[in-house]
């Protein structure tokens, strides 16, 4: 028995070392670095005070939050519709679409920004082509601005939302649709009273993941706009590995604020998921009672008809 325990401990040792090296040590270093002064020796809270009172850093936090919220909501809306549509296809077609979505969700970073620059940049293929044809499709559109960042972020948010949401649609039973139709409920009423409450835990959980994914995106934004647009992830990168001046203490402080905002969003989403699950439990009991009443009524009708 002791030898078995030793074998289990030895087998888990590489995993524990990897967790310590790539998870615990960087977090501890980030937290300790955020409380160091400019010399890197003394303890101070001035870094947080400067980050929360500086208009420059607060603008970076605001821009990152707005882009993350908008791209997450857009990705959720489109991904929810696509996830429902993908469940209507045959298994062979569905598997191919899921494989394509998986590849698309991982196509991010510098290659994605470069692809958008080639297609929709100031001298992009579609920009010049539509201008040659006299179409004003991209008049006033600037890829290297707020709208361009939203467009690029939504590109990898939609397939991620699709992959996370489509299994939840299989939790909606076909009998519920039939019972709702027999009771006179239309499609919109069914989704409002049954479908969306059942999907709400998955929706809120996916929304938290999309928000965290957008907040932590660095390579795509840096390759697309560089330092021309003030984002929190870009500011952290410039402070830690800047070409002119490096301020690792301030970079650690902003990284802690980024982590706290992401953790807060995930925590709120988890609270909403729990509340919706409890609400869904009560609603499911009510649906079971309603379903039993419907079955009794249907049996009475058949008995009166002599069936």
């Amino acid at each position: 028995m002791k030898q078995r325990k030793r074998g289990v401990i030895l087998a888990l040792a590489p995993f524990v070392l990897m967790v310590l090296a790539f998870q615990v040590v960087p977090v501890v270093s980030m937290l300790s670095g955020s409380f160091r002064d400019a010399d890197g020796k003394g303890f101070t809270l001035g870094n947080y005070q400067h980050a929360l009172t500086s208009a420059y850093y607060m603008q970076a936090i605001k821009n990152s939050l707005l882009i993350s919220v908008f791209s997450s909501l857009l990705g959720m809306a489109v991904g929810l519709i696509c996830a429902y549509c993908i469940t209507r296809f045959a298994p062979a077609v569905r598997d191919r679409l899921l494989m394509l979505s998986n590849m698309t969700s991982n196509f991010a970073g510098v290659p994605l920004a470069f692809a958008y620059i080639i297609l929709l940049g100031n001298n992009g293929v579609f920009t010049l082509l539509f201008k040659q044809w006299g179409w004003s499709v991209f008049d006033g559109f600037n890829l290297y601005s707020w709208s361009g960042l939203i467009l690029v972020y939504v590109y990898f948010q939609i397939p991620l939302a699709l992959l996370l949401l489509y299994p939840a649609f299989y939790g909606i039973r076909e009998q519920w649709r039939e019972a709702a139709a027999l009771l006179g409920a239309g499609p919109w009423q069914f989704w409002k009273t049954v479908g969306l409450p059942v999907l709400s835990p998955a929706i809120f959980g996916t929304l938290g993941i999309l928000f965290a994914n957008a907040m932590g995106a660095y390579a795509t934004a840096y390759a697309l706009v560089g330092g021309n647009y003030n984002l929190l992830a870009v500011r952290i990168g410039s402070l830690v590995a800047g070409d002119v001046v490096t301020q690792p203490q301030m970079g650690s402080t902003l990284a802690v604020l980024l982590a706290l905002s992401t953790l807060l969003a995930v925590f709120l989403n988890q609270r909403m998921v729990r509340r919706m699950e409890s609400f869904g439990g009560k609603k499911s009991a009510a649906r079971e009672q309603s379903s039993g009443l419907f079955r009794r009524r249907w049996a009475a009708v058949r008995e009166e008809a002599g069936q």
Side-chain angles (χ1 to χ4, degrees):
M1 191 69 179
K2 292 183 179 180
Q3 292 181 351
R4 184 178 180 181
K5 290 183 178 179
R6 290 177 182 176
V8 172
I9 293 174
L10 290 176
L12 290 176
F15 174 74
V16 174
L17 291 175
M18 289 186 63
V19 171
L20 290 174
F22 295 101
Q23 297 291 333
V24 178
V25 174
V27 171
V28 172
S29 177
M30 179 182 68
L31 289 173
S32 61
S34 65
F35 292 104
R36 292 176 184 171
D37 55 14
D39 297 331
K41 298 179 181 178
F43 177 85
T44 181
L45 294 175
N47 295 328
Y48 289 95
Q49 182 181 2
H50 179 57
L52 296 175
T53 55
S54 172
Y56 185 64
Y57 293 136
M58 289 303 296
Q59 184 189 36
I61 296 174
K62 178 182 177 182
N63 290 339
S64 295
L65 289 174
L66 289 176
I67 287 180
S68 299
V69 169
F70 274 90
S71 64
S72 300
L73 292 176
L74 289 174
M76 172 63 65
V78 180
L80 190 65
I81 298 173
C82 294
Y84 170 74
C85 294
I86 206 172
T87 59
R88 304 290 96 185
F89 290 109
V93 179
R94 182 193 61 206
D95 293 342
R96 290 186 178 91
L97 291 175
L98 289 176
M99 181 182 64
L100 181 63
S101 300
N102 192 15
M103 294 173 58
T104 307
S105 64
N106 289 286
F107 183 66
V110 178
L112 177 61
F114 186 63
Y116 266 89
I117 291 172
I118 293 176
L119 296 177
L120 299 177
N122 294 333
N123 294 315
V125 174
F126 289 129
T127 304
L128 298 179
L129 185 63
F130 290 158
K131 187 182 294 184
Q132 178 112 15
W133 290 347
W135 296 358
S136 58
V137 178
F138 295 109
D139 285 355
F141 173 76
N142 184 11
L143 181 63
Y144 314 104
S145 64
W146 157 271
S147 56
L149 283 171
I150 290 291
L151 181 63
V152 175
Y153 275 49
V154 167
Y155 179 86
F156 58 79
Q157 295 279 58
I158 291 176
L160 180 59
L162 188 152
L163 292 172
L164 294 173
L165 285 173
Y166 93 92
F169 280 94
Y170 291 101
I172 300 177
R173 301 177 184 177
E174 196 64 31
Q175 293 86 343
W176 298 348
R177 301 174 187 267
E178 297 173 357
L182 289 173
L183 290 173
W188 169 246
Q189 189 176 4
F190 168 78
W191 284 107
K192 180 181 177 181
T193 58
V194 179
L196 289 179
V198 172
L199 294 174
S200 56
I203 291 175
F204 283 109
T206 303
L207 192 61
I209 295 176
L210 294 181
F211 179 84
N213 187 40
M215 283 292 292
Y218 168 74
T220 302
Y222 182 77
L224 188 65
V225 297
N228 297 326
Y229 198 82
N230 196 8
L231 291 175
L232 188 57
V234 177
R235 291 282 72 77
I236 294 172
S238 63
L239 289 171
V240 174
D243 296 332
V244 181
V245 179
T246 59
Q247 296 179 347
Q249 292 80 13
M250 185 56 63
S252 298
T253 303
L254 295 180
V256 171
L257 295 177
L258 173 62
L260 289 177
S261 64
T262 305
L263 290 175
L264 178 61
V266 173
F267 172 75
L268 293 177
N269 274 277
Q270 288 297 321
R271 291 291 301 271
M272 291 298 296
V273 167
R274 291 178 182 176
R275 290 190 63 181
M276 295 307 297
E277 284 178 347
S278 62
F279 175 75
K282 297 177 182 178
K283 294 292 286 185
S284 63
R287 284 195 297 269
E288 291 294 334
Q289 183 179 1
S290 176
S291 178
L293 180 61
F294 171 77
R295 286 195 297 268
R296 290 194 295 271
R297 287 180 179 177
W298 180 249
V301 170
R302 293 186 61 184
E303 184 178 354
E304 290 178 1
Q307 296 180 359

